[in-house]
Amino acid sequence: MKYKILFLLYVIVLGCNPQKAKRRIIPVEKNIQLEKSVLDISVVAKGLNVPWEITWGPDNKIWITEQHGEISKLDPETGEKHRILEIKEVWKDRTTGLLGMAIHPNVKENPYVFVDYTVKNNGKIFSKLVRYTIQRDTLIKPTTLLIIPGSTGHNGSRLAISPNGKLLWATGDAQKGGNAQNEKSLNGKILRINIDGTVPENNPIQGSYVWAKGFRNMQGLVFSKRGFLYTSEHGDALEDEVNLIVKGGNYGWPNIEGIHDIEEEKEYALKNNTIEPLLSWTPTIAPSGITYYGHKTIPEWENSLLLATLKARSLHVLKLNDDGTKILSDNIFLENEYGRLRSVCVSPEGDIYVSTSNRDWNPYSKPIEADDRILKISKAARVTSDKVLKGKLASENKTIENIDQLYSVYCGGCHKDDGSGVEGTFPALKGSSLVQGSKESLIKVFLKGKKTENKAEQMPSFKFLNDDEGAAILTYIRKNWGNKAEPIQASEIKGLR
Ligand code: HEC
Ligand SMILES: [Ca+2]
Ligand SMILES: [Ca+2]
């Protein structure tokens, strides 16, 4: 009898042994064909709610922040996910919430995880940088390292640990462009911080966290293998950027957007010694998470930056030159395949993971039930799916052949392709009386932009488009989606410039 019970216990314990959890066979959904390599795309997680940061952990799990305030871990082998922390004080609204996260690369000596998130106290908004200590499967001892002013938008932000163990924080301008050039403000900056929250001795200005200045709203931050720091940044209407960050550098905002191409910018650049981006995009793509790919696993992508984009709904592979100071080519993958892409990380084996962001405040279309997802992109022996995707050079994407696309790339990101806008944020152009009313008022909104006080978002100026492009777009919005109004001629735009 006694032995029987012991035997039973033995069976139960073995049966529950987590080590024996079955590896799930994750089906390949699509393939990517590169010059030589074939890649598999599979979905390793479903049903997430805006995974803002995904990062590879020391336990070979993918650590995830979700915007509403949860941190969880995903086992990419089994697809099992479990929550390790919920941060109750997170204030999520539109772009705010639990955002960046970085794990110390040497957790044996420094068992720390750093996160930043938005809080709202007595009607005031702040961004908070907090350090947690890893204790087995939980995070304990939250220690606030820094609190800076926040806003309803432009809070950045990403975190990264430098090769010599400093914490870097890419902050947003908190919707006040002036912050970015003001060295007293910690907004619109790259901050460099000791892991105990003190100011490192060799920062450019003694006693200040500021490492570099002149940024609008950074959404990507990564160190390459050789220790170079790269960012991705949302520009205003015209230009999005990827930058290589140097100590004490000035990156131009709000006086300069993107490359130094207009007279005022050139003048300002000369006087202030500002640094141009490695690459800028017009029309904008809403660049988000960025990571460095240094593996030989996918040789075509070795020594590249991988950049997830929201508005353009794609993964850009930015090939670097050998010394990491130039981008040689910009190839686009996954375009329109999985919707908005927000974060990207790489495993030690060189597998790539990308998270979608179709449940965020500015969805391109209705999310599907599986959203949000985490995709795995890995080297394969051969094509095994029915759908084989190819990349294309970004330059091929800039030829705008038809008016649908012209409207979509410049206006659709905010007002949506069907003109329905986003309630409370971006007005619908469909049925708008301003769109169908006086030509002059409409052209003025187009050329000068429009801002209503106390509104988080504004309509940017599109005077950089030429008269023909403007006339085509404005005529399109006056005649589409049931709107009915006279077309607008290029000469009418010219007359109001
Ligand atoms: C970055 C987001 C964004 C983009 C891109 C954008 N808009 Fe807007 N637009 C707005 C916002 C926000 C408003 C509301 C401004 C306000 O009233 O304060 C607006 C307002 C308008 C209005 C006034 C509508 C009304 O009924 O009051 C028109 C017309 C318009 N936009 C046309 C366009 C066109 C045409 C394009 C593309 C060339 C475009 N917008 C691109 C954000 C955007
Ligand atoms: Ca810049
Ligand atoms: Ca410029």
Side-chain angles (χ1 to χ4, degrees):
M1 189 63 190
K2 205 170 155 196
Y3 288 107
K4 254 190 187 164
I5 289 170
L6 271 179
F7 179 68
L8 256 178
L9 267 176
Y10 177 65
V11 168
I12 289 167
V13 168
L14 254 193
C16 296
N17 189 342
Q19 303 298 322
K20 287 196 137 188
K22 263 199 198 140
R23 274 196 176 195
R24 195 174 49 134
I25 308 235
I26 302 167
V28 175
E29 281 208 345
K30 297 170 192 177
N31 291 110
I32 296 176
Q33 177 71 61
L34 301 179
E35 202 180 316
K36 291 218 174 79
S37 308
V38 173
L39 310 179
D40 281 346
I41 307 173
S42 48
V43 175
V44 292
K46 289 181 189 171
L48 299 167
N49 194 359
V50 194
W52 216 93
E53 180 75 82
I54 58 172
T55 187
W56 195 266
D59 48 2
N60 288 326
K61 304 265 165 64
I62 295 173
W63 294 48
I64 306 166
T65 65
E66 282 168 281
Q67 200 186 346
H68 57 271
E70 266 184 60
I71 302 177
S72 48
K73 290 203 240 181
L74 172 80
D75 184 335
E77 295 288 342
T78 63
E80 252 168 74
K81 176 193 161 226
H82 72 272
R83 181 160 95 182
I84 55 171
L85 188 72
E86 186 186 357
I87 306 175
K88 294 249 162 62
E89 65 170 338
V90 164
W91 181 63
K92 183 199 168 194
D93 181 45
R94 285 177 6 106
T95 66
T96 74
L98 173 58
L99 308 176
M101 172 171 64
I103 306 172
H104 200 287
N106 181 2
V107 284
K108 282 221 172 75
E109 278 170 36
N110 298 294
Y112 300 131
V113 174
F114 304 87
V115 291
D116 71 83
Y117 54 86
T118 325
V119 292
K120 195 173 184 181
N121 292 331
N122 302 322
K124 283 204 171 134
I125 304 168
F126 299 94
S127 289
K128 202 166 162 178
L129 177 66
V130 179
R131 186 184 80 192
Y132 279 89
T133 301
I134 305 173
Q135 191 191 53
R136 276 176 240 110
D137 248 0
T138 54
L139 298 176
I140 57 166
K141 288 199 217 154
T143 309
T144 303
L145 301 186
L146 201 55
I147 298 179
I148 66 170
S151 182
T152 51
H154 300 197
N155 293 306
S157 68
R158 294 276 176 189
L159 296 166
I161 313 272
S162 71
N164 61 355
K166 304 292 181 211
L167 176 62
L168 280 294
W169 188 13
T171 68
D173 70 4
Q175 289 177 317
K176 286 199 188 107
N179 282 338
Q181 291 293 325
N182 175 0
E183 279 172 355
K184 297 253 163 5
S185 160
L186 298 182
N187 289 100
K189 305 290 176 339
I190 300 279
L191 306 179
R192 185 168 174 268
I193 306 159
N194 286 325
I195 58 172
D196 62 1
T198 57
V199 178
E201 268 175 12
N202 54 350
N203 273 7
I205 308 164
Q206 247 221 322
S208 164
Y209 292 113
V210 174
W211 181 253
K213 68 176 180 181
F215 304 98
R216 182 176 179 271
N217 193 20
M218 287 175 283
Q219 302 275 296
L221 182 72
V222 70
F223 278 98
S224 69
K225 201 152 69 182
R226 64 192 299 153
F228 285 6
L229 183 63
Y230 300 90
T231 61
S232 76
E233 180 179 350
H234 284 196
D236 197 356
L238 272 82
E239 294 179 68
D240 286 331
E241 307 181 5
V242 160
N243 284 294
L244 171 56
I245 304 301
V246 297
K247 178 179 181 177
N250 181 352
Y251 290 78
W253 180 256
N255 306 76
I256 296 180
E257 186 178 359
I259 53 170
H260 303 165
D261 54 344
I262 54 179
E263 277 315 311
E264 293 93 320
E265 290 181 336
K266 286 180 190 161
E267 221 170 276
Y268 186 88
L270 264 179
K271 279 196 196 128
N272 296 279
N273 203 13
T274 51
I275 299 166
E276 279 192 305
L278 294 185
L279 196 60
S280 89
W281 287 269
T282 306
T284 53
I285 57 174
S288 186
I290 195 167
T291 198
Y292 176 78
Y293 195 80
H295 289 79
K296 298 209 180 315
T297 319
I298 305 171
E300 291 92 332
W301 291 1
E302 194 189 349
N303 193 34
S304 295
L305 297 171
L306 308 180
L307 171 69
T309 74
L310 295 161
K311 185 177 151 191
R313 291 166 282 144
S314 58
L315 182 72
H316 285 238
V317 177
L318 311 173
K319 188 90 182 162
L320 292 164
N321 64 346
D322 285 344
D323 54 13
T325 53
K326 282 202 178 88
I327 290 172
L328 301 176
S329 63
D330 174 7
N331 274 283
I332 302 173
F333 293 89
L334 298 184
E335 197 176 38
N336 301 344
E337 293 292 330
Y338 291 95
R340 293 159 67 77
L341 305 180
R342 186 174 289 278
S343 188
V344 52
C345 71
V346 178
S347 79
E349 284 81 42
D351 296 335
I352 297 158
Y353 294 86
V354 186
S355 71
T356 72
S357 190
N358 294 316
R359 292 189 185 275
D360 66 23
W361 70 286
N362 192 15
Y364 180 78
S365 56
K366 218 172 160 249
I368 65 164
E369 204 180 308
D371 280 324
D372 278 312
R373 288 164 282 179
I374 294 178
L375 315 171
K376 177 183 182 180
I377 303 173
S378 53
K379 181 76 176 278
R382 63 197 158 80
V383 169
T384 52
S385 76
D386 302 335
K387 186 146 188 197
V388 183
L389 309 174
K390 288 211 167 105
K392 66 173 161 189
L393 278 172
S395 52
E396 293 168 42
N397 230 25
K398 277 197 179 156
T399 52
I400 294 164
E401 309 94 347
N402 63 54
I403 177 64
D404 289 314
Q405 201 181 344
L406 195 65
Y407 169 81
S408 178
V409 295
Y410 287 112
C411 323
C414 296
H415 295 290
K416 306 303 155 201
D417 284 356
D418 61 1
S420 63
V422 174
E423 218 188 314
T425 312
F426 302 122
L429 301 181
K430 175 183 178 169
S432 153
S433 50
L434 196 150
V435 169
Q436 299 169 88
S438 118
K439 289 182 178 182
E440 191 174 328
S441 324
L442 178 59
I443 294 171
K444 278 196 174 147
V445 168
F446 174 78
L447 291 175
K448 300 206 164 86
K450 190 171 178 227
K451 166 121 186 91
T452 311
E453 200 143 341
N454 293 329
K455 279 215 170 154
E457 293 294 324
Q458 56 178 304
M459 162 78 184
S461 153
F462 281 91
K463 65 169 191 269
F464 66 90
L465 289 176
N466 67 37
D467 297 336
D468 291 324
E469 289 166 327
I473 290 176
L474 294 183
T475 300
Y476 178 80
I477 65 171
R478 276 160 79 87
K479 289 193 170 299
N480 216 347
W481 321 301
N483 285 357
K484 283 197 183 77
E486 289 278 290
I488 283 183
Q489 311 297 331
S491 58
E492 293 170 300
I493 296 181
K494 196 171 176 198
L496 287 167
R497 271 189 197 270

